[in-house]
C-alpha cells in the first residue's frame, strides 16, 4: 500500500515538473525570439548611427518597465505583464540558449516612437521615393531654372502641384528671368465675341507655338462691346466700350451707355483689376503704346485761369446761353488752313512735356510704357477728336493736344519709331511726337487707292510702317461689280514719304473689320465672316523680312463655329509674350 502511494506521488511530481518545464520552454523560446528581433533592430540602428540600447524611459504609469510586453505577444492568457526579474525570482532555470545580462530600459511602447522620431528624415526620404516627388532632391534655384523653361500652359498646370511650385512661379523675379531668357512665346487674345445673341463673358487665347485655342472666363466684360484692347508688358488693357441699357448683354445701340472705365487683365494670375478711368467716355478708341525710359516724368504745363475757360465760337447758331455740350460746333467751325507741317494748338489745351529726372540708382535697362487713346465715338455716338495719355506708374490720365483741324475721323493708329501715326477715313496721315507733345501732318504722295468701305489698318513691324487696305485688282470700280478686290500691304518710306506695294494677302477680303497686329517680325491677322449661314474664321501670319513677306494659315474654322455673325464687327485682338 505504501509502495503504491509512493508511486502515485512520484508520478504526480513528474507530471508537475513536466508541466513546469513546458511552461519554461514556451517562455524561454518566446524571449529568445524577441531577443533575436531586438538584435536585428539594434544592428539597423547601429548602421544608421543611432544606438537605442542603454536608454531609460519612463511611461505614464511610472517606473521603468524592463522587458515589459503584453500578454498577447507572449501568449499568456492571463494578460498580465511579466519582467525578467520576476522570472528569475521564481528560480526558473534556462533550458537552452545563452544567458544575457544586458537589458533594454524602455518604457512600454516607446521604442517604436523614439525610433520614428529619430529617423524622421529617413522615413520622409523613403516616402518621397515611393511617391516619386522629385522636388525633394532639387534645390530651389535648380527647380526654378526647370520651371522657367516650361511652356505657359504647362507652367499654369505646374502651379497646381504644390504651394512651393506656385510660390516660385508667382514672383516678379521669376517672370523677369523668363523674359530675359527668351523662354516666352507669343499668345493672341481675341476679345469681344458674341454668342447666342449676347456679348459673351469668354475670351479666346491662341498659343502660336502649339497651334491651339484656349478659353478663359471674363465676367467683367459681360455685356460690353465695341471696346479696344492693347497689350502692355504681361497684361491686356481693355479701354472704353458700350453696353446696352434696354437689352443688357446684347449688341443693341438703340439705348446704350458709353464707358470711360479701363480694365486690366493679367493672364499670368488669371485676375482682373480696374485702372483709372479716362477723362472722356469713348467707344472704339484708337490706342497706341509708347516705350519710354524709367527716369522720365510726364508733366503738364500750368495754365492760367484765362486759358481754362471753354472756347465757344459762334458758329452754327450756338449762343452763349445754349452752350454746345459735345463741341460739335468746334469741329464744324471753319478756321484758316495751316501748312501741312505746321503745329496746331487748341486755345484751351496746352501740351505736356517730358522731364528726365536725375537718379543715380536708375538703370538704363528699366523701361516703362505709356498708353494713348485718340478719337472714337462719344456718349451720343458723335466722333471725337480729343486725345489723352495714361501713365501706369501714376495711374492717371492726362489730356493732350487734339487731332489737327479737318483731319477727319481717325480709323487706325500705331506707334512706330517714337511717333504715334494715325490714319483718317479721309486718307490723311498725322503723327504725334510724344516727347515734344504736338501733332505733325504728314503729306505722302501718292496715297494708295482703296475701297472706302474697308478701313485701312496701320501696322509697325521691325521699325517699318505698313498699311493694309483693300483695293481693286483691275481698274477702279464699286463693290458689287465683277472686279476682283484684294487686300494689299503697303509700306511707307519714312525718308521720301512715299508708299510702295509690298505684298498681297492670300485671302479674299470678306471681313469688313479684319483685325491685324504685329509682333517682332510677324504680322498676325484674324478674319471672320458669315457665308451660307455659317461663321468662318481664318488666322494668318506673315513673316516680314528684307526679301519680302511670306503669308501662311495657322488656324482655320476652329473658333467661330459656335459664335454669332455680330462677332465680325465687335472683335478686337492683342498679343502678349507669356
Amino acid at each position: 500500500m505504501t509502495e503504491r502511494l509512493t508511486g502515485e506521488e512520484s508520478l504526480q511530481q513528474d507530471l508537475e515538473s513536466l508541466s513546469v518545464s513546458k511552461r519554461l520552454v514556451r517562455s524561454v523560446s518566446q524571449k529568445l525570439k524577441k531577443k533575436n528581433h531586438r538584435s536585428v533592430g539594434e544592428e539597423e540602428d547601429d548602421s544608421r548611427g543611432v544606438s537605442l540600447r542603454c536608454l531609460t524611459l519612463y511611461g505614464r504609469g511610472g517606473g521603468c518597465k524592463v522587458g515589459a510586453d503584453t500578454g498577447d505577444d507572449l501568449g499568456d492568457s492571463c494578460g498580465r505583464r511579466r519582467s525578467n526579474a520576476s522570472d528569475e525570482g521564481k528560480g526558473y532555470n534556462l533550458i537552452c540558449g545563452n544567458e544575457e545580462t544586458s537589458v533594454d530600459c524602455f518604457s512600454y511602447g516607446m521604442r517604436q516612437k523614439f525610433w520614428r522620431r529619430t529617423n524622421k528624415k529617413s522615413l520622409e526620404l523613403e516616402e518621397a521615393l515611393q511617391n516619386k516627388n522629385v522636388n525633394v532632391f532639387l534645390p530651389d534655384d535648380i527647380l526654378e531654372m526647370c520651371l522657367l523653361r516650361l511652356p505657359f500652359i504647362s507652367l499654369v498646370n505646374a502651379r497646381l502641384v504644390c504651394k512651393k511650385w506656385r510660390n516660385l512661379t508667382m514672383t516678379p523675379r521669376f517672370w523677369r528671368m523668363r523674359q530675359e531668357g527668351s523662354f516666352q512665346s507669343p499668345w493672341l487674345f481675341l476679345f469681344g465675341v458674341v454668342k447666342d445673341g449676347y456679348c459673351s463673358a469668354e475670351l479666346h487665347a491662341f498659343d502660336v507655338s502649339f497651334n491651339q485655342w484656349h478659353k478663359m472666363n471674363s465676367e467683367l466684360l459681360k455685356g460690353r462691346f465695341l471696346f479696344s484692347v492693347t497689350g502692355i508688358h504681361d497684361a491686356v488693357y481693355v479701354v472704353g466700350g458700350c453696353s446696352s441699357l434696354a437689352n443688357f448683354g446684347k449688341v443693341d445701340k438703340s439705348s446704350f451707355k458709353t464707358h470711360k472705365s479701363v480694365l486690366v487683365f493679367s493672364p499670368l494670375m488669371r485676375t482682373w483689376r480696374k485702372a483709372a478711368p479716362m477723362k472722356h467716355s469713348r467707344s472704339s478708341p484708337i490706342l497706341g503704346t509708347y516705350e519710354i525710359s524709367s527716369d522720365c516724368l510726364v508733366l503738364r504745363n500750368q495754365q492760367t485761369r484765362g486759358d481754362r475757360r471753354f472756347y465757344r465760337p459762334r458758329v452754327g447758331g450756338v449762343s452763349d446761353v445754349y452752350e454746345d455740350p459735345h463741341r460739335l460746333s468746334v469741329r464744324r467751325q471753319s478756321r484758316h488752313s495751316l501748312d501741312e507741317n505746321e503745329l496746331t494748338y487748341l486755345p484751351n489745351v496746352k501740351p505736356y512735356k517730358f522731364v528726365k529726372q536725375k537718379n543715380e540708382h536708375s538703370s538704363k535697362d528699366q523701361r516703362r510704357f505709356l498708353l494713348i487713346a485718340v478719337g472714337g465715338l462719344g456718349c451720343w455716338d458723335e466722333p471725337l477728336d480729343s486725345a489723352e495719355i495714361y501713365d501706369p506708374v501714376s495711374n492717371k490720365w492726362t489730356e493732350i493736344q487734339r487731332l489737327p483741324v479737318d483731319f477727319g475721323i481717325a480709323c487706325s493708329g500705331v506707334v512706330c519709331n517714337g511717333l504715334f501715326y494715325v490714319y483718317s477715313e479721309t486718307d490723311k496721315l498725322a503723327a504725334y511726337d510724344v516727347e515734344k507733345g504736338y501733332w505733325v501732318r504728314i503729306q505722302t504722295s501718292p496715297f494708295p487707292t482703296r475701297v472706302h468701305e474697308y478701313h485701312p489698318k496701320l501696322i509697325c513691324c521691325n521699325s517699318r510702317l505698313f498699311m493694309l487696305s483693300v483695293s481693286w485688282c483691275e481698274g477702279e470700280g464699286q463693290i458689287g461689280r465683277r472686279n476682283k478686290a484684294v487686300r494689299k500691304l503697303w509700306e511707307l518710306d519714312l525718308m521720301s514719304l512715299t508708299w510702295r506695294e509690298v505684298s498681297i494677302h492670300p485671302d479674299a477680303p470678306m471681313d469688313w473689320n479684319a483685325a491685324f497686329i504685329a509682333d517682332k517680325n510677324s504680322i498676325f491677322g484674324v478674319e471672320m465672316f458669315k457665308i451660307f449661314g455659317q461663321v468662318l474664321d481664318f488666322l494668318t501670319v506673315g513673316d516680314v523680312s528684307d526679301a519680302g513677306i511670306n503669308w501662311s494659315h495657322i488656324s482655320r474654322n476652329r473658333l467661330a463655329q459656335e459664335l454669332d455673325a455680330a462677332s465680325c464687327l465687335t472683335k478686337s485682338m492683342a498679343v502678349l509674350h507669356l
Side-chain angles (χ1 to χ4, degrees), residues 466-536:
F466 297 94
M467 183 179 67
L468 279 158
S469 63
V470 177
S471 59
W472 302 111
C473 188
E474 297 177 359
E476 299 293 336
Q478 300 295 329
I479 296 179
R481 298 188 179 182
R482 294 185 177 180
N483 295 351
K484 183 180 179 181
V486 294
R487 196 184 302 273
K488 295 183 179 180
L489 182 66
W490 304 81
E491 182 181 1
L492 178 63
D493 188 352
L494 300 179
M495 299 299 295
S496 60
L497 297 180
T498 56
W499 293 96
R500 67 181 183 92
E501 183 180 342
V502 178
S503 175
I504 297 178
H505 197 271
D507 295 334
M510 302 293 292
D511 189 358
W512 299 78
N513 187 36
F516 291 92
I517 192 170
D519 177 67
K520 294 184 179 179
N521 60 339
S522 301
I523 299 177
F524 298 97
V526 174
E527 297 182 78
M528 298 171 59
F529 55 91
K530 184 177 182 180
I531 184 172
F532 301 120
Q534 186 179 4
V535 180
L536 305 179

Side-chain angles (χ1 to χ4, degrees), residues 151-161 175 267-268 270:
F152 176 70
I153 193 65
S154 302
L155 186 60
V156 173
N157 296 330
R159 292 179 182 176
L160 305 178
V161 174
W175 291 104
L268 305 180
R270 300 292 181 92

Side-chain angles (χ1 to χ4, degrees), residues 85-104:
S86 61
D87 292 339
E88 292 176 1
K90 292 182 179 179
Y92 295 150
N93 297 324
L94 294 176
I95 295 179
C96 61
N98 296 327
E99 184 178 2
E100 286 286 339
T101 58
S102 63
V103 295
D104 292 334

Side-chain angles (χ1 to χ4, degrees), residues 38-50 53 111:
R38 187 162 54 231
S39 62
V40 173
E42 290 174 356
E43 290 177 359
E44 293 179 358
D45 296 340
D46 293 339
S47 63
R48 297 180 183 273
V50 180
R53 183 172 300 171
R111 176 185 177 85

